[in-house]
């Protein structure tokens, strides 16, 4: 199962049953990236041009060209996340959608073992990216994988004490590295209207550090 198949199903309904020829797809504002945003933009762009394209073929083509040698590990990460989200959606009475305004980062949705397995796939992808012979390509692919790592680490950071209680030193080093990596790939916020709602990366880190010291 993949998260993009339902988007294709909706587009087919719009075209074939509702006779809609033009569609404006609303996206997030005020955010640099979100979970697998480059993949989503690519697949949606292709489907809105030709809704009969095969989603799995599009995903595989994107993975191979965008992540290159790191593609197999990123694909394992993507498949794993899709399967977990599908399970959570089927077993939680309120459902679960990664693109709705809901508690998508709440710790009860993400057991520690799930996050650690997902991070393992991304760590594998980072190793593959750094091993690419061409240094320029290696740096580009590394940053592309790092974006996904930063997104996943936000979930951990948001409920760090739930996952790793009484590990203050580890929390500080974790937040320091997350903040550095977010800055490296241009991630500055975790939600819309971040300045008003305190959702910038730096404000989140400062609040967590302050709470730990308090």
């Amino acid at each position: 199962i993949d998260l993009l198949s339902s988007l294709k199903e909706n587009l087919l309904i719009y075209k074939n049953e509702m006779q809609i020829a033009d569609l404006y797809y609303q996206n997030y504002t005020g955010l640099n990236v979100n979970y697998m945003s480059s993949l989503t933009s690519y697949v949606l762009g292709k489907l809105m041009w030709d809704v009969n394209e095969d989603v799995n073929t599009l995903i595989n083509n994107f993975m191979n060209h965008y992540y290159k040698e790191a593609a197999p590990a990123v694909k394992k990460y993507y498949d794993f996340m899709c399967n977990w989200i599908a399970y959570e959606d089927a077993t939680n009475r309120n459902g679960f959608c990664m693109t709705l305004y809901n508690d998508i980062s709440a710790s009860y949705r993400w057991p520690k073992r799930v996050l650690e397995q997902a991070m393992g796939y991304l760590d594998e992808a980072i190793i593959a990216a750094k091993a690419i012979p061409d240094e320029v390509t290696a740096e580009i692919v590394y940053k592309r994988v790092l974006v996904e790592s930063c997104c996943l680490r936000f979930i951990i950071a948001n409920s760090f004490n739930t996952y790793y209680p009484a590990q203050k030193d580890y929390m500080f080093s974790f937040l320091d590295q997350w903040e550095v990596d977010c800055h490296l790939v241009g991630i500055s916020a975790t939600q819309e209207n971040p300045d008003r709602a305190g959702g910038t990366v730096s404000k989140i880190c400062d609040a967590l550090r302050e709470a730990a010291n308090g």
Side-chain angles (χ1 to χ4, degrees), residues 3-73:
L3 299 175
L4 296 170
S5 293
S6 60
L7 294 176
K8 175 176 177 173
E9 293 170 3
N10 290 337
L11 291 174
L12 283 169
I13 292 173
Y14 294 152
K15 178 183 178 182
N16 297 330
E17 298 183 20
M18 302 175 68
Q19 305 300 308
I20 293 175
D22 298 297
L23 179 69
Y24 174 79
Y25 182 80
Q26 183 180 6
N27 207 339
Y28 296 98
T29 60
L31 291 177
N32 310 91
V33 296
N34 52 72
Y35 165 75
M36 298 303 289
S37 56
S38 296
L39 171 65
T40 301
S41 296
Y42 172 80
V43 173
L44 269 175
K46 287 288 189 178
L47 290 177
M48 291 174 74
W49 184 259
D50 181 2
V51 73
N52 295 309
E53 289 259 27
D54 180 74
V55 171
N56 287 328
T57 298
L58 291 175
I59 290 173
N60 288 331
N61 287 342
F62 176 87
M63 292 285 183
N64 292 332
H65 287 86
Y66 194 74
Y67 293 109
K68 303 187 183 300
E69 284 88 337

Side-chain angles (χ1 to χ4, degrees), residues 172-189:
F172 287 159
S173 63
F174 180 93
L175 292 175
D176 288 346
Q177 190 61 55
W178 181 58
E179 193 170 11
V180 167
D181 289 343
C182 285
H183 179 74
L184 179 64
V185 295
I187 298 175
S188 59

Side-chain angles (χ1 to χ4, degrees), residues 37-192:
S37 56
S38 296
L39 171 65
T40 301
S41 296
Y42 172 80
V43 173
L44 269 175
K46 287 288 189 178
L47 290 177
M48 291 174 74
W49 184 259
D50 181 2
V51 73
N52 295 309
E53 289 259 27
D54 180 74
V55 171
N56 287 328
T57 298
L58 291 175
I59 290 173
N60 288 331
N61 287 342
F62 176 87
M63 292 285 183
N64 292 332
H65 287 86
Y66 194 74
Y67 293 109
K68 303 187 183 300
E69 284 88 337
V74 177
K75 185 62 164 56
K76 285 192 288 185
Y77 164 74
Y78 177 74
D79 289 342
F80 176 77
M81 292 290 280
C82 285
N83 288 330
W84 174 255
I85 292 167
Y87 171 80
E88 179 70 12
D89 183 52
T91 57
N92 189 293
R93 66 178 183 177
N94 296 319
F96 187 28
C97 178
M98 287 288 284
T99 58
L100 290 179
Y101 296 100
N102 58 12
D103 53 345
I104 62 172
S105 63
S107 59
Y108 74 88
R109 292 195 180 277
W110 301 97
K112 179 181 175 182
R113 59 177 177 79
V114 170
L115 292 175
E116 289 184 341
Q117 186 169 346
M119 282 301 306
Y121 294 134
L122 292 179
D123 289 342
E124 180 183 339
I126 285 175
I127 291 172
K130 289 183 175 180
I132 295 174
D134 180 73
E135 292 184 2
V136 174
T137 302
E139 180 70 10
I140 291 172
V141 176
Y142 166 69
K143 288 182 177 179
R144 289 172 177 174
V145 177
L146 195 61
V147 166
E148 299 307 320
S149 173
C150 287
C151 290
L152 190 62
R153 278 183 282 164
F154 165 67
I155 299 175
I156 300 174
N158 199 46
S159 302
F160 192 92
N161 287 327
T162 299
Y163 299 120
Y164 304 101
Q167 296 190 42
K168 182 176 177 180
D169 290 342
Y170 176 42
M171 184 184 78
F172 287 159
S173 63
F174 180 93
L175 292 175
D176 288 346
Q177 190 61 55
W178 181 58
E179 193 170 11
V180 167
D181 289 343
C182 285
H183 179 74
L184 179 64
V185 295
I187 298 175
S188 59
T190 63
Q191 62 190 49
E192 294 182 308

